[in-house]
Amino acid sequence: MNMLTIKPLNSHLQQIAEGELEEVAERIPNDLENFRQWIQQQQHLRAREDDQFLIQFLRGCKYNVEKAKEKFDRYYTLETKYPEIFCITNVDDVTFRTNYNLGTFLPLTTPLNEFGPRIMVFRFNYSPKSVPIDALFHSINAIPQVLLIDDAYACICGLVFIVDMSEFTSAHLLQLTPPFLKKIVTYYENILPFRIKGIYCINVNRIAEQLIKLLLSIMGEKLRKRVFIYGKQFDSIFSNIPQKYLPLDYGGQNGQLDQLCVEFNQKWNEYREYFQENINYGTIESLRAGKPFDFDGIFGMGGTFRKLDVD
């Protein structure tokens, strides 16, 4: 283990990694080496190979190696196919920083119940008329890419999303087309190596209900069961997320959103070179062995609508 460049876990997280993710400390060096050898054998794949990055794909798939390989391949395939949304190489770009500083998507300071999943807050606090959706999510998607190598609680315990829809309008809905939403849902549900433990939609209005119905039709059944919907009165959320773990903006004690946005800017400075290296990575589909990648199969629309129950 001394030769590995992996950030150590505290005893609580180590216990979860072993109990829930089936991690065996003694096997990690061999697991990583086997994973790395597979990557090097894929002629179409140009990928990051450092320990901290690779181990999260194993952890995120509970050490199911075949699932980790598939997720890893799709991660770079998606970045290559849709770089304007998923491939971030310059965190100093003015547009990147401007859109990030809207504070649309932010991790909260304290994980749920102190040692649980990282809580993420998404707000529709941007103008669809002035902010292109691809550019907005280009900045948003950089955040989980930082968490992937930086946040042990997100990596081991997963993510919980609070989606505040109080400012959601018909203009937002028109911007979020089904093909775009399919890419985003696929990225967060099936490609990023995080376990999504819950999605809590609050301040849901009638227009927002239309978006949620569409999202539910795209999600897999397992994730759909983890979506909870609330109107303006969302006190019942406290049984799953005690109020103290909400931000000050919602009567909690877990940071103030605009201030958290300012503070997270230091991560872009810290990981500037890390993102610059992304220009070297991706897939070359002409070199892929076997069948071509099935983009239509991955990003085709499917699923069914269901009635919403708003608490």
Side-chain angles (χ1 to χ4, degrees), residues 169-183:
T169 66
S170 57
H172 290 103
L173 184 62
L174 288 172
Q175 194 183 42
L176 295 165
T177 64
F180 179 82
L181 289 174
K182 181 65 175 177
K183 295 182 184 72

PDB file of all heavy atoms in Angstrom, residues 169-183:
ATOM      1  N   THR A 169     -38.736  27.939 -14.775  1.00  0.00           N
ATOM      2  CA  THR A 169     -39.720  28.573 -15.649  1.00  0.00           C
ATOM      3  C   THR A 169     -39.881  27.760 -16.936  1.00  0.00           C
ATOM      4  O   THR A 169     -39.116  26.831 -17.209  1.00  0.00           O
ATOM      5  CB  THR A 169     -39.272  29.988 -16.028  1.00  0.00           C
ATOM      6  OG1 THR A 169     -38.083  29.907 -16.831  1.00  0.00           O
ATOM      7  CG2 THR A 169     -38.990  30.824 -14.787  1.00  0.00           C
ATOM      8  N   SER A 170     -40.835  28.159 -17.733  1.00  0.00           N
ATOM      9  CA  SER A 170     -41.041  27.510 -19.029  1.00  0.00           C
ATOM     10  C   SER A 170     -39.834  27.712 -19.936  1.00  0.00           C
ATOM     11  O   SER A 170     -39.550  26.862 -20.790  1.00  0.00           O
ATOM     12  CB  SER A 170     -42.310  28.052 -19.694  1.00  0.00           C
ATOM     13  OG  SER A 170     -42.242  29.458 -19.837  1.00  0.00           O
ATOM     14  N   ALA A 171     -39.099  28.810 -19.767  1.00  0.00           N
ATOM     15  CA  ALA A 171     -37.886  29.030 -20.565  1.00  0.00           C
ATOM     16  C   ALA A 171     -36.812  27.998 -20.234  1.00  0.00           C
ATOM     17  O   ALA A 171     -36.093  27.521 -21.120  1.00  0.00           O
ATOM     18  CB  ALA A 171     -37.355  30.445 -20.335  1.00  0.00           C
ATOM     19  N   HIS A 172     -36.698  27.646 -18.953  1.00  0.00           N
ATOM     20  CA  HIS A 172     -35.781  26.566 -18.574  1.00  0.00           C
ATOM     21  C   HIS A 172     -36.203  25.253 -19.223  1.00  0.00           C
ATOM     22  O   HIS A 172     -35.381  24.497 -19.744  1.00  0.00           O
ATOM     23  CB  HIS A 172     -35.752  26.388 -17.053  1.00  0.00           C
ATOM     24  CG  HIS A 172     -35.098  27.505 -16.309  1.00  0.00           C
ATOM     25  ND1 HIS A 172     -35.809  28.452 -15.634  1.00  0.00           N
ATOM     26  CD2 HIS A 172     -33.780  27.814 -16.140  1.00  0.00           C
ATOM     27  CE1 HIS A 172     -34.976  29.306 -15.065  1.00  0.00           C
ATOM     28  NE2 HIS A 172     -33.738  28.943 -15.355  1.00  0.00           N
ATOM     29  N   LEU A 173     -37.500  24.987 -19.178  1.00  0.00           N
ATOM     30  CA  LEU A 173     -38.023  23.725 -19.711  1.00  0.00           C
ATOM     31  C   LEU A 173     -37.746  23.602 -21.211  1.00  0.00           C
ATOM     32  O   LEU A 173     -37.336  22.526 -21.688  1.00  0.00           O
ATOM     33  CB  LEU A 173     -39.526  23.633 -19.452  1.00  0.00           C
ATOM     34  CG  LEU A 173     -40.215  22.325 -19.861  1.00  0.00           C
ATOM     35  CD1 LEU A 173     -39.652  21.146 -19.084  1.00  0.00           C
ATOM     36  CD2 LEU A 173     -41.725  22.441 -19.639  1.00  0.00           C
ATOM     37  N   LEU A 174     -37.924  24.680 -21.947  1.00  0.00           N
ATOM     38  CA  LEU A 174     -37.670  24.649 -23.391  1.00  0.00           C
ATOM     39  C   LEU A 174     -36.203  24.389 -23.699  1.00  0.00           C
ATOM     40  O   LEU A 174     -35.863  23.759 -24.699  1.00  0.00           O
ATOM     41  CB  LEU A 174     -38.111  25.976 -24.023  1.00  0.00           C
ATOM     42  CG  LEU A 174     -39.619  26.199 -24.128  1.00  0.00           C
ATOM     43  CD1 LEU A 174     -39.916  27.620 -24.588  1.00  0.00           C
ATOM     44  CD2 LEU A 174     -40.243  25.196 -25.094  1.00  0.00           C
ATOM     45  N   GLN A 175     -35.328  24.886 -22.833  1.00  0.00           N
ATOM     46  CA  GLN A 175     -33.889  24.728 -23.044  1.00  0.00           C
ATOM     47  C   GLN A 175     -33.429  23.289 -22.789  1.00  0.00           C
ATOM     48  O   GLN A 175     -32.490  22.798 -23.426  1.00  0.00           O
ATOM     49  CB  GLN A 175     -33.147  25.698 -22.119  1.00  0.00           C
ATOM     50  CG  GLN A 175     -31.675  25.909 -22.440  1.00  0.00           C
ATOM     51  CD  GLN A 175     -31.027  26.830 -21.435  1.00  0.00           C
ATOM     52  OE1 GLN A 175     -31.268  26.729 -20.227  1.00  0.00           O
ATOM     53  NE2 GLN A 175     -30.180  27.728 -21.915  1.00  0.00           N
ATOM     54  N   LEU A 176     -34.101  22.612 -21.867  1.00  0.00           N
ATOM     55  CA  LEU A 176     -33.704  21.259 -21.463  1.00  0.00           C
ATOM     56  C   LEU A 176     -34.412  20.237 -22.348  1.00  0.00           C
ATOM     57  O   LEU A 176     -35.392  19.604 -21.954  1.00  0.00           O
ATOM     58  CB  LEU A 176     -34.033  21.056 -19.982  1.00  0.00           C
ATOM     59  CG  LEU A 176     -33.228  21.942 -19.026  1.00  0.00           C
ATOM     60  CD1 LEU A 176     -33.846  21.946 -17.639  1.00  0.00           C
ATOM     61  CD2 LEU A 176     -31.770  21.481 -18.959  1.00  0.00           C
ATOM     62  N   THR A 177     -33.909  20.065 -23.535  1.00  0.00           N
ATOM     63  CA  THR A 177     -34.529  19.157 -24.502  1.00  0.00           C
ATOM     64  C   THR A 177     -34.319  17.703 -24.094  1.00  0.00           C
ATOM     65  O   THR A 177     -33.356  17.375 -23.386  1.00  0.00           O
ATOM     66  CB  THR A 177     -33.919  19.368 -25.893  1.00  0.00           C
ATOM     67  OG1 THR A 177     -32.519  19.007 -25.842  1.00  0.00           O
ATOM     68  CG2 THR A 177     -34.040  20.817 -26.340  1.00  0.00           C
ATOM     69  N   PRO A 178     -35.189  16.800 -24.535  1.00  0.00           N
ATOM     70  CA  PRO A 178     -35.026  15.378 -24.199  1.00  0.00           C
ATOM     71  C   PRO A 178     -33.646  14.816 -24.574  1.00  0.00           C
ATOM     72  O   PRO A 178     -33.047  14.104 -23.753  1.00  0.00           O
ATOM     73  CB  PRO A 178     -36.151  14.699 -24.970  1.00  0.00           C
ATOM     74  CG  PRO A 178     -37.221  15.736 -25.021  1.00  0.00           C
ATOM     75  CD  PRO A 178     -36.494  17.039 -25.203  1.00  0.00           C
ATOM     76  N   PRO A 179     -33.083  15.092 -25.771  1.00  0.00           N
ATOM     77  CA  PRO A 179     -31.746  14.554 -26.079  1.00  0.00           C
ATOM     78  C   PRO A 179     -30.673  15.066 -25.124  1.00  0.00           C
ATOM     79  O   PRO A 179     -29.781  14.313 -24.718  1.00  0.00           O
ATOM     80  CB  PRO A 179     -31.494  15.027 -27.513  1.00  0.00           C
ATOM     81  CG  PRO A 179     -32.849  15.242 -28.090  1.00  0.00           C
ATOM     82  CD  PRO A 179     -33.678  15.749 -26.957  1.00  0.00           C
ATOM     83  N   PHE A 180     -30.767  16.345 -24.748  1.00  0.00           N
ATOM     84  CA  PHE A 180     -29.779  16.890 -23.809  1.00  0.00           C
ATOM     85  C   PHE A 180     -29.926  16.236 -22.442  1.00  0.00           C
ATOM     86  O   PHE A 180     -28.935  15.823 -21.821  1.00  0.00           O
ATOM     87  CB  PHE A 180     -29.934  18.407 -23.692  1.00  0.00           C
ATOM     88  CG  PHE A 180     -28.970  19.030 -22.714  1.00  0.00           C
ATOM     89  CD1 PHE A 180     -27.673  19.317 -23.103  1.00  0.00           C
ATOM     90  CD2 PHE A 180     -29.352  19.271 -21.402  1.00  0.00           C
ATOM     91  CE1 PHE A 180     -26.775  19.864 -22.189  1.00  0.00           C
ATOM     92  CE2 PHE A 180     -28.455  19.809 -20.495  1.00  0.00           C
ATOM     93  CZ  PHE A 180     -27.162  20.111 -20.893  1.00  0.00           C
ATOM     94  N   LEU A 181     -31.153  16.135 -21.960  1.00  0.00           N
ATOM     95  CA  LEU A 181     -31.382  15.530 -20.647  1.00  0.00           C
ATOM     96  C   LEU A 181     -30.920  14.081 -20.615  1.00  0.00           C
ATOM     97  O   LEU A 181     -30.402  13.606 -19.598  1.00  0.00           O
ATOM     98  CB  LEU A 181     -32.866  15.610 -20.286  1.00  0.00           C
ATOM     99  CG  LEU A 181     -33.393  17.002 -19.945  1.00  0.00           C
ATOM    100  CD1 LEU A 181     -34.898  16.955 -19.767  1.00  0.00           C
ATOM    101  CD2 LEU A 181     -32.720  17.546 -18.687  1.00  0.00           C
ATOM    102  N   LYS A 182     -31.088  13.365 -21.719  1.00  0.00           N
ATOM    103  CA  LYS A 182     -30.645  11.978 -21.775  1.00  0.00           C
ATOM    104  C   LYS A 182     -29.140  11.886 -21.572  1.00  0.00           C
ATOM    105  O   LYS A 182     -28.646  11.010 -20.853  1.00  0.00           O
ATOM    106  CB  LYS A 182     -31.048  11.357 -23.117  1.00  0.00           C
ATOM    107  CG  LYS A 182     -30.638   9.897 -23.267  1.00  0.00           C
ATOM    108  CD  LYS A 182     -31.344   8.987 -22.283  1.00  0.00           C
ATOM    109  CE  LYS A 182     -31.016   7.530 -22.535  1.00  0.00           C
ATOM    110  NZ  LYS A 182     -31.640   6.626 -21.552  1.00  0.00           N
ATOM    111  N   LYS A 183     -28.396  12.799 -22.158  1.00  0.00           N
ATOM    112  CA  LYS A 183     -26.937  12.813 -21.974  1.00  0.00           C
ATOM    113  C   LYS A 183     -26.586  13.062 -20.510  1.00  0.00           C
ATOM    114  O   LYS A 183     -25.723  12.375 -19.940  1.00  0.00           O
ATOM    115  CB  LYS A 183     -26.300  13.888 -22.861  1.00  0.00           C
ATOM    116  CG  LYS A 183     -26.425  13.655 -24.350  1.00  0.00           C
ATOM    117  CD  LYS A 183     -25.709  14.755 -25.112  1.00  0.00           C
ATOM    118  CE  LYS A 183     -25.895  14.630 -26.618  1.00  0.00           C
ATOM    119  NZ  LYS A 183     -27.254  14.986 -27.059  1.00  0.00           N
TER     120      LYS A 183
END
